[in-house]
Amino acid sequence: MTGTLVILGGADGSASTYRRARELGYRTICVDRRGDAVARPLADEFVLASIRDPRLIAGELDGRADIVGVLSPASDTGLPAQRELARRWGLPDLSAAAVCASQDKSYFRAVCDQLGFASYGYVAGAADGELALQAAALRFPVLVKPLDAQSSRGIQVCDDASEVAAAAREAARFASDGGVIVEEYLAGKHYSAEAFVDRGQIAFVGVSARTMTPAPYFVTTAHRVPADLTAEQERELTEVLNALVAELDYQRGPLTIDLLIDPAGRMHLIEMGARVGGNGLGELVRHAYGVDTVAASIAAATGDPADVAQTRSRAAVSEVLYTDHPGVVTEVVGADEASAVPELVELILFASAGQEVLPYHNAANKLGHFVVVADDPDQAAAAAAAIRATLRFDLSGAA
């Protein structure tokens, strides 16, 4: 492969795209508003700009003949810029509806309702008294979220209508335009689906069981394959996703979905992104299913063919490394021993000695992640437990 990829965002979730692009022979340009972005060292070039500002990015890069694709991996925030830049440069782009459904939680809910999917109550709007009045008609408890933030930022749990107004004001701090959504809380089992769309149809979907921190943060801590979906539920998921991408006119590219199956067996789609997922999901899917969704996302951005035929079925675990306490890392202990675990296929550390770290209240505060793969779930779980027991981050100032 030849040419340069513009990758919007340099956060930890994008690292696998930079590495895979280099393996495939592409040069990469990292665009981020932070000069110290985690993935910046993995790129060949860097543009200091917000991924919300396609005009500024275009001003830096217009006229270059080497750009062959633009992506926003693991970040919904950059999808509008991805679409605008791709259209500006004559590259494969996303539908406006797919971008909107990825960014606006209320729009996604409305699409799901229109398609007749399993539903739950919600209201959305500005964080004002009217929203709190509307929310009082919902079934409590409820979750209050920023309309367009990701990584579990700004989520609040309310057990009573009297709590909604304050929670909405807090959530609005994390939204680009102050918009907030209030959703009825659903009990059930959580899953993630990594899919690839080709010619408007689901060409591949791989499902992992998802573990999260408890209320009030609900941040992902692990993904496990195989998930415990029945064959009928897997067929239902594919049918639902086919209906979704048809409605959104999403023709080709990656798709990540959070879903929940409630105690009655109803499948609820929670959120989507027209992109690859973070937290090592690309490596998890590649080793569990033999499908390289990261390479496929690059192929979609460049207009090249992608092979997403499943070639294997193995057990795998992806886990986030994090701390419950703030502090400064004094030492990372056990990395070499963890690397010697035979089932380990990826260990990425984002925090090192001397770095200030925060409690894992949103996904941006992760310290790293690892992926293990094995022939059966018990073996994969044992390997993950061995790594957790071996690897630790010592902190000064931690309680």
Side-chain angles (χ1 to χ4, degrees):
M1 304 292 181
T2 58
T4 300
L5 299 174
V6 176
I7 301 180
L8 303 175
D12 55 86
S14 65
S16 60
T17 301
Y18 287 94
R19 293 196 300 270
R20 194 71 183 100
R22 176 165 292 178
E23 291 167 356
L24 292 171
Y26 292 102
R27 290 177 52 80
T28 57
I29 300 172
C30 172
V31 180
D32 203 286
R33 64 183 178 83
R34 293 178 58 107
D36 61 349
V38 170
R40 177 177 179 174
L42 302 174
D44 297 289
E45 301 177 53
F46 179 71
V47 171
L48 183 65
S50 168
I51 60 175
R52 296 182 185 271
D53 192 346
R55 292 187 180 181
L56 177 58
I57 299 167
E60 294 289 330
L61 298 175
D62 270 355
R64 291 186 55 155
D66 60 322
I67 295 174
V68 295
V70 55
L71 305 91
S72 180
S75 173
D76 300 324
T77 302
L79 291 177
Q82 176 182 329
R83 182 173 189 269
E84 183 171 332
L85 292 171
R87 292 169 68 84
R88 183 184 185 106
W89 295 333
L91 300 169
D93 65 352
L94 304 170
S95 71
V99 171
C100 190
S102 302
Q103 277 226 301
D104 186 331
K105 296 177 177 66
S106 65
Y107 178 77
F108 180 68
R109 291 260 53 83
V111 170
C112 291
D113 288 348
Q114 181 178 329
L115 291 170
F117 298 167
S119 186
Y120 50 95
Y122 72 94
V123 295
D128 54 22
E130 180 63 28
L131 181 71
L133 286 174
Q134 294 173 355
L138 298 175
R139 173 178 47 82
F140 281 75
V142 296
L143 298 180
V144 182
K145 306 176 182 178
L147 263 184
D148 64 351
Q150 63 182 69
S151 302
S152 299
R153 291 179 176 90
I155 293 180
Q156 303 281 308
V157 182
C158 297
D159 294 314
D160 184 82
S162 64
E163 303 170 358
V164 171
R169 288 193 296 270
E170 175 64 18
R173 295 177 51 239
F174 297 87
S176 63
D177 63 356
V180 173
I181 186 169
V182 185
E183 301 175 341
E184 293 178 349
Y185 174 78
L186 289 180
K189 294 184 177 181
H190 290 265
Y191 303 87
S192 290
E194 290 294 294
F196 188 78
V197 182
D198 196 9
R199 289 172 288 187
Q201 292 284 310
I202 298 297
F204 165 78
V205 58
V207 183
S208 59
R210 183 178 174 218
T211 305
M212 297 185 294
T213 59
Y217 301 111
F218 303 107
V219 194
T220 300
T221 57
H223 295 271
R224 289 175 172 80
V225 175
D228 57 356
L229 295 187
T230 65
E232 181 180 349
Q233 288 171 330
E234 290 179 351
R235 286 192 296 270
E236 178 187 357
L237 177 59
T238 300
E239 291 172 1
V240 164
L241 294 184
N242 272 323
L244 177 66
V245 298
E247 181 68 19
L248 298 177
D249 191 29
Y250 188 22
Q251 291 298 308
R252 190 164 189 262
L255 177 66
T256 186
I257 292 278
D258 292 338
L259 61 141
L260 176 145
I261 297 180
D262 68 22
R266 292 183 295 263
M267 182 178 295
H268 300 266
L269 302 189
I270 306 300
E271 295 178 6
M272 68 159 276
R275 55 172 176 81
V276 294
N279 296 330
L281 275 172
E283 287 297 303
L284 181 83
V285 168
R286 183 162 67 88
H287 286 282
Y289 296 101
V291 176
D292 192 339
T293 54
V294 177
S297 72
I298 293 171
T302 59
D304 292 327
D307 182 2
V308 291
Q310 183 175 340
T311 60
R312 68 179 70 126
S313 181
R314 301 190 73 195
V317 177
S318 171
E319 287 202 18
V320 174
L321 301 169
Y322 62 94
T323 178
D324 293 321
H325 307 285
V328 175
V329 178
T330 57
E331 186 179 8
V332 180
V333 179
D336 290 341
E337 293 85 346
S339 297
V341 173
E343 294 84 0
L344 181 73
V345 294
E346 177 168 283
L347 172 60
I348 304 294
L349 302 179
F350 303 125
S352 56
Q355 184 172 336
E356 184 176 357
V357 296
L358 297 171
Y360 191 51
H361 295 169
N362 68 68
N365 295 344
K366 66 173 70 72
L367 306 184
H369 72 255
F370 67 84
V371 180
V372 297
V373 62
D375 292 328
D376 65 75
D378 289 342
Q379 183 184 357
I387 292 171
R388 286 197 306 272
T390 302
L391 183 62
R392 74 173 191 270
F393 295 80
D394 287 346
L395 305 181
S396 63

